[in-house]
Amino acid sequence: YTKGEHKLMMLLWCIDNQPLIWGGNLPDNTNDPFYDSLMMNSDALFINQNGIKCRVVRSDTNPGTPNLPIWTSTHPTDTATKFVLFANLSGSSATMSVALSTIGITGTVPVRDVWSRSTIGNFTTTFAQTITSHNAGLYILGSAPTTTNPVTRIEKPAQITGEKVFFATGNRCVIPAAFAGKTVRVATYSLAGKLLNSVITRDRTVPLYKGDTHGEKVGIVKITEIR
């Protein structure tokens, strides 16, 4: 996938309240902040977790505008604020627009770009943007807040998915600061769930056992015991 296609895929999942699944080789993400920006955009994650009444405004098979679908959903506590996704599946740039009345907005509305986290301006009657080929834009139309718990940068090279479970992304695991000074048992597993190694430590940085003679790699790191 191009970066635009990665962005299109992630933003479509966000507005459609889909489970956020990320494929590929996670260590590669450390070399390009673009991929962190996909997974850590607080507005996009808010829309994914809290948006309601998601629907297709225009499908990708719509006559006259093929491959230019538009999706919308609604803020959970302020129904006057809407979320809009413009997706360009075509082979060239396109100016995409939506009549505000068709998504339940009357009058003038401020618009924020989720990706750039910037205010675009105020729009009346119609909202339009130019989207490059195989790319997408996600927008907040309205002034309701889109904050819950802030999304913070995780400490690399470990991908933290909870207090006790990690996805391994390198040859070492960084244990969260909450466990500093405590004696913990750190167990490493393959993605298939096979126990590869287990060590008791008080150190926050733990070297990982990378595999056995069969070539199995560490996929999951788990704290299984705390003293």
Side-chain angles (χ1 to χ4, degrees):
Y1 284 2
T2 66
K3 288 183 177 179
E5 289 166 342
H6 275 299
K7 179 180 165 187
L8 190 160
M9 176 177 64
M10 181 65 75
L11 296 184
L12 178 59
W13 283 343
C14 284
I15 199 166
D16 196 27
N17 308 122
Q18 292 296 315
L20 298 181
I21 302 170
W22 189 256
N25 186 21
L26 290 178
D28 290 345
N29 297 348
T30 64
N31 300 321
D32 192 333
F34 169 81
Y35 295 103
D36 271 349
S37 68
L38 278 181
M39 294 180 274
M40 296 170 57
N41 186 303
S42 57
D43 283 339
L45 295 179
F46 178 92
I47 294 169
N48 172 257
Q49 297 296 308
N50 301 283
I52 61 174
K53 300 180 180 179
C54 175
R55 65 183 178 92
V56 177
V57 177
R58 185 175 72 199
S59 73
D60 59 346
T61 59
N62 188 67
T65 54
N67 300 315
L68 298 173
I70 299 174
W71 292 62
T72 186
S73 66
T74 299
H75 193 281
T77 60
D78 180 356
T79 57
T81 294
K82 307 294 182 179
F83 310 125
V84 172
L85 175 80
F86 289 155
N88 184 353
L89 310 178
S90 74
S92 59
S93 294
T95 298
M96 301 181 64
S97 64
V98 61
L100 298 183
S101 61
T102 64
I103 59 173
I105 294 177
T106 58
T108 300
V109 63
V111 177
R112 288 178 284 156
D113 186 321
V114 166
W115 181 250
S116 66
R117 304 186 185 189
S118 61
T119 299
I120 298 175
N122 296 318
F123 290 80
T124 304
T125 307
T126 302
F127 170 60
Q129 290 288 288
T130 298
I131 308 298
T132 58
S133 173
H134 288 217
N135 210 329
L138 182 58
Y139 307 94
I140 301 168
L141 283 66
S143 55
T146 53
T147 54
T148 49
N149 295 323
V151 176
T152 57
R153 178 171 296 275
I154 57 176
E155 187 170 11
K156 295 295 178 67
Q159 290 284 75
I160 301 171
T161 61
E163 286 189 341
K164 300 180 183 179
V165 180
F166 316 85
F167 285 109
T169 61
N171 60 5
R172 65 189 180 94
C173 170
V174 181
I175 298 174
F179 300 105
K182 298 179 180 179
T183 300
V184 297
R185 180 183 294 276
V186 180
T188 62
Y189 299 83
S190 70
L191 283 176
K194 177 182 178 181
L195 177 64
L196 299 179
N197 195 28
S198 179
V199 61
I200 296 177
T201 181
R202 290 175 62 91
D203 296 329
R204 285 196 63 205
T205 300
V206 180
L208 297 181
Y209 175 74
K210 289 300 293 178
D212 60 16
T213 55
H214 300 290
E216 294 194 64
K217 302 297 185 182
V218 172
I220 299 172
V221 180
K222 184 177 182 181
I223 296 176
T224 59
E225 179 183 350
I226 305 171
R227 300 176 185 173

